[in-house]
Amino acid sequence: MVFGLFSKEKSLEKTIAKATNKLAQQVDRWGALESLKKDGSQEAVFGLCKLFGVTSMKGIEDEQEKDWVVETLVAKGKDALEPIIRYMKNAEQLAFPLRVLERIADRDKCLEVADALFKSEPPGYVRMPERRIDLMHWFSEWKGATDDEVVAKLTPYVTDFDENSRFAAIDGMATKDGAKIAPPLIAGLLRPEEESGRIKRTIVEVLEKSKAPLGDKADAVAAVLEGGGPLATDFKVVGGVVKKK
């Protein structure tokens, strides 16, 4: 009995390895993926999740396979929840598994998982920022999140070490309530450590488009805009908001 169980586990490991082998022929990967779907056990479903972390040699095939896995996991519903959450704990990229999560879990569960993921990604230096960037993109676009929740989660990353992470946080706030996004974005614009012209311009553009009230920071923002360069040419502060010239 023990030998039979061991043999089954080894067989499953081989199937998962074949399904996630980016150098294999697509027909072989498809066969392995179908076997994992048919198996349906929690470990087999976890094996399906692992495909999200593999990029095959051909872009079209890669997208087809990942989309197929998304739909397969969604079809399994709550049975896929534990494996997808377990997979995301150590995944370097989160875009595809988060697409599954929002379709199989209710709002409370999604928030619970998002909270845990954000806690696992404290602002600061990280070798692979793609994980936190994927998380911010998803959370800011997820229809279940309120403006207050998005601003609260993304604010710490407006001053993140990684420039692309800062950009993702700012961009994620771009369509939210101007009054709510103003404080963190203004703080990001005014901080002495911010040297990126790209980041400064993005903040100013978001403040302008959202008509964010500058409040008692209006003069300080105006001073930044009047400091020379492209910002001085394109923007000004009028009536406590940023406007295009």
Side-chain angles (χ1 to χ4, degrees):
M1 185 70 176
V2 174
F3 177 78
L5 180 61
F6 177 76
S7 178
K8 183 177 181 180
E9 289 177 352
K10 294 299 291 184
S11 177
L12 181 58
E13 288 177 7
K14 289 181 179 179
T15 303
I16 292 173
K18 186 179 295 185
T20 56
N21 181 358
K22 67 179 182 179
L23 300 178
Q25 294 293 319
Q26 188 184 36
V27 64
D28 295 327
R29 281 199 304 275
W30 274 124
L33 290 170
E34 290 284 2
S35 294
L36 294 176
K37 176 183 178 180
K38 183 177 180 180
D39 181 307
S41 65
Q42 292 287 279
E43 288 306 313
V45 174
F46 184 70
L48 285 172
C49 295
K50 288 184 176 181
L51 185 76
F52 294 141
V54 177
T55 302
S56 61
M57 304 304 288
K58 296 181 180 179
I60 294 178
E61 291 182 358
D62 184 72
E63 185 175 349
Q64 288 174 339
E65 291 168 2
K66 286 183 170 63
D67 285 342
W68 181 89
V69 172
V70 166
E71 296 304 322
T72 298
L73 295 175
V74 169
K76 291 185 178 297
K78 292 294 191 293
D79 289 340
L81 193 54
E82 188 278 331
I84 204 77
I85 293 173
R86 177 155 55 105
Y87 171 76
M88 287 193 289
K89 287 181 179 179
N90 298 304
E92 292 185 352
Q93 298 180 10
L94 297 172
F96 281 97
L98 285 169
R99 281 171 51 187
V100 176
L101 177 71
E102 69 180 14
R103 293 173 62 185
I104 65 175
D106 59 26
R107 170 181 148 79
D108 288 345
K109 189 63 178 180
C110 285
L111 284 175
E112 177 188 324
V113 174
D115 283 343
L117 291 172
F118 275 112
K119 286 178 182 177
S120 74
E121 286 294 318
Y125 174 77
V126 64
R127 188 176 64 85
M128 299 287 286
E130 289 80 8
R131 176 181 168 89
R132 65 182 53 173
I133 291 172
D134 283 348
L135 180 58
M136 285 188 281
H137 280 323
W138 172 79
F139 195 73
S140 63
E141 295 174 358
W142 176 48
K143 291 180 172 57
T146 66
D147 284 8
D148 286 330
E149 289 165 341
V150 170
V151 173
K153 294 298 184 189
L154 270 56
T155 290
Y157 301 96
V158 173
T159 57
D160 192 68
F161 178 88
D162 176 65
E163 181 177 331
N164 289 330
S165 297
R166 298 200 300 277
F167 180 84
I170 297 161
D171 186 59
M173 295 187 193
T175 60
K176 309 309 175 185
D177 185 291
K180 294 176 179 178
I181 66 175
L185 294 190
I186 293 171
L189 177 66
L190 299 181
R191 73 186 188 109
E193 299 86 352
E194 186 55 78
E195 298 179 350
S196 169
R198 172 198 181 207
I199 293 297
K200 290 181 179 179
R201 184 173 189 87
T202 302
I203 291 175
V204 171
E205 288 176 344
V206 172
L207 292 174
E208 185 273 327
K209 290 179 181 178
S210 65
K211 298 180 174 58
L214 305 179
D216 61 2
K217 301 296 183 182
D219 290 343
V221 172
V224 171
L225 299 183
E226 294 164 4
L231 292 179
T233 301
D234 298 336
F235 300 96
K236 60 183 177 180
V237 173
V238 179
V241 297
V242 176
K243 291 190 176 182
K244 286 184 178 180
K245 287 186 175 179

